[in-house]
Amino acid sequence: MQQASAPKVSFVSLGCPKALVDSERIITRLRAEGYELARKHDGADLVIVNTCGFLDSAKQESLAAIGDAMAENGKVIVTGCMGAEPEAIEKAHPGVLSITGPQQYESVLEAVHRALPPMHNPHLDLVPPQGIKLTPRHYAYLKISEGCNNRCTFCIIPKLRGDLVSRPAADVLREAEKLVTAGVKELLVISQDTSAYGVDIRYAASTWRGREVRAKFLDLAGALGELGVWVRLHYVYPYPHVDEVIALMVEGKVLPYLDIPFQHAAPSVLRRMKRPAAQEKTLERIARWREICPELTIRSTFIVGFPGETENDFAYLLDWLDEAALDRVGCFRYEPVKGAAANDCAPAVPDDVKAARWHRFMKRQQAISAKRLKRKVGTRQQVIIDEVGPTVAKGRSKADAPDIDGAVYLSSRRPLKVGEIVTAKIERADQYDLHGSVAGF
């Protein structure tokens, strides 16, 4: 007997932007098959939880989300990174319907079909050509590859997601075109190791707009730059060929922004981390990049309290921060991830020492970030509007990625629209954000 109304699915997406893209793909497939999305678990026929399994704290958040879904609904399908190691999920929540790992879209769909068959209506096309997005309409994450070939000792991502699998350049560019046609103004390019893109397929060329485009970091970035929108590069390891993309920034093809996960600076710690490109002369290269492109913004993430990190290692890191003068920085205290080789590579750093170093690190970087922001006072910056309030709008400059960087707060003589790009006069700065007024449209 056919259902009277479309089956409803509630969805929880946890973790990084790469997991968010996985969620978008699953939701797009579900909507194409006639399923509707429910805002609340108790109003849904079942719940899908896309988990994160990188850190213990993320695993606890995932287990809590599964528990909430079980309590409010009772029919729960689990997928994502934590699903690659299902024992902990099964132990905490033995009643879940299905557990699958990351990128296993077909298995998730099969589990949904078993628990909640789709409503058949061949005459309805419920999905727009660009697919279903979980981000606001004006920006979108563009995933160019899956997995990672690196073997950083603190990371279990290759175990969870496998080795690098790059998408053909034409596939990425066609997806980008659809997003731009649908109104996206900013593409955020992501993968586990963006600058390694294409190495697994030997940079094979594919046809886009009547020409061959190689599956190479530089070539793909240049082609994306032809679409007339902001292109922001994330998770870029500092391999030598990254130098070439700085020229694209000067030309205005991609944003003058690099998200480079340096993780540390002390040579002994980087060796224990087994970081790729760790031996490159990063300070010299940062200085050269800024000579070529003075507008360049560099953001990064670091780990303090890595096993074996000495006070001298940490002092080296603080000195490196002073010289690098990075614009945006995140910092994490090392957590021993189950299965990570780093846990046994050297003696653990006591938790109180980790905490003290984290506070010292953040205080040092806060002063650096504030100083670099202050240099923008009096300048004019392009700003993309994310939120509109009664008197002040919140947006981001070319130097600010959503969710992880600062914001620009603007007053305007006329109402602004979400997704609009305006010219702003910067009038003041605080430790993380800029404030100003709209000076042009």
Side-chain angles (χ1 to χ4, degrees), residues 206-318:
S206 50
T207 304
W208 177 69
R209 290 186 173 180
R211 72 176 198 266
E212 296 289 291
V213 179
R214 292 184 303 170
K216 205 164 189 177
F217 175 60
L218 179 69
D219 300 48
L220 180 66
L224 289 170
E226 298 174 22
L227 299 178
V229 297
W230 287 10
V231 177
R232 192 180 299 278
L233 303 174
H234 286 278
Y235 313 118
V236 178
Y237 286 72
Y239 305 123
H241 67 269
V242 172
D243 296 0
E244 300 171 336
V245 85
I246 305 299
L248 296 180
M249 298 177 182
V250 176
E251 295 170 20
K253 287 195 171 183
V254 301
L255 294 184
Y257 180 100
L258 280 177
D259 176 1
I260 301 179
F262 289 117
Q263 305 296 13
H264 214 282
S268 60
V269 177
L270 290 171
R271 280 195 296 273
R272 287 197 299 279
M273 287 181 168
K274 292 189 177 178
R275 293 294 289 159
Q279 301 310 311
E280 303 299 331
K281 297 178 180 178
T282 51
L283 288 174
E284 292 178 16
R285 293 177 69 206
I286 289 170
R288 190 164 68 249
W289 293 342
R290 285 177 169 153
E291 284 177 15
I292 299 168
C293 183
E295 299 300 311
L296 176 64
T297 292
I298 304 175
R299 96 164 314 274
S300 189
T301 51
F302 292 85
I303 297 171
V304 296
F306 190 79
E309 182 190 60
T310 65
E311 184 59 31
N312 284 341
D313 291 331
F314 183 66
Y316 187 105
L317 173 58
L318 293 183

Side-chain angles (χ1 to χ4, degrees), residues 138-376:
H138 60 286
Y139 68 83
Y141 292 101
L142 185 66
K143 190 194 284 190
I144 63 174
S145 64
E146 302 282 4
C148 185
N149 286 345
N150 301 319
R151 294 298 183 265
C152 302
T153 57
F154 57 82
C155 181
I156 58 170
I157 291 296
K159 182 179 178 182
L160 297 175
R161 290 181 169 260
D163 287 336
L164 179 72
V165 180
S166 300
R167 299 174 61 193
D171 286 1
V172 176
L173 291 164
R174 281 191 285 269
E175 180 182 343
E177 281 185 301
K178 289 180 180 179
L179 291 167
V180 172
T181 299
V184 165
K185 303 284 185 65
E186 178 182 11
L187 296 168
L188 300 110
V189 179
I190 59 168
S191 65
Q192 289 300 138
D193 181 354
T194 298
S195 36
Y197 170 68
V199 68
D200 59 306
I201 54 176
R202 299 183 180 181
Y203 310 117
S206 50
T207 304
W208 177 69
R209 290 186 173 180
R211 72 176 198 266
E212 296 289 291
V213 179
R214 292 184 303 170
K216 205 164 189 177
F217 175 60
L218 179 69
D219 300 48
L220 180 66
L224 289 170
E226 298 174 22
L227 299 178
V229 297
W230 287 10
V231 177
R232 192 180 299 278
L233 303 174
H234 286 278
Y235 313 118
V236 178
Y237 286 72
Y239 305 123
H241 67 269
V242 172
D243 296 0
E244 300 171 336
V245 85
I246 305 299
L248 296 180
M249 298 177 182
V250 176
E251 295 170 20
K253 287 195 171 183
V254 301
L255 294 184
Y257 180 100
L258 280 177
D259 176 1
I260 301 179
F262 289 117
Q263 305 296 13
H264 214 282
S268 60
V269 177
L270 290 171
R271 280 195 296 273
R272 287 197 299 279
M273 287 181 168
K274 292 189 177 178
R275 293 294 289 159
Q279 301 310 311
E280 303 299 331
K281 297 178 180 178
T282 51
L283 288 174
E284 292 178 16
R285 293 177 69 206
I286 289 170
R288 190 164 68 249
W289 293 342
R290 285 177 169 153
E291 284 177 15
I292 299 168
C293 183
E295 299 300 311
L296 176 64
T297 292
I298 304 175
R299 96 164 314 274
S300 189
T301 51
F302 292 85
I303 297 171
V304 296
F306 190 79
E309 182 190 60
T310 65
E311 184 59 31
N312 284 341
D313 291 331
F314 183 66
Y316 187 105
L317 173 58
L318 293 183
D319 290 343
W320 189 95
L321 273 186
D322 285 338
E323 192 168 348
L326 304 181
D327 300 86
R328 304 286 193 183
V329 169
C331 183
F332 301 91
R333 299 169 228 200
Y334 176 77
E335 284 188 31
V337 178
K338 184 181 178 182
N343 300 336
D344 304 314
C345 75
V349 175
D351 287 345
D352 60 336
V353 175
K354 285 184 199 175
R357 288 178 182 171
W358 184 85
H359 285 290
R360 287 165 63 194
F361 179 101
M362 293 305 293
K363 185 177 180 181
R364 182 73 63 95
Q365 179 57 41
Q366 195 174 67
I368 295 168
S369 294
K371 185 177 179 181
R372 291 194 67 80
L373 273 183
K374 196 173 181 180
R375 294 167 54 180
K376 296 185 179 182

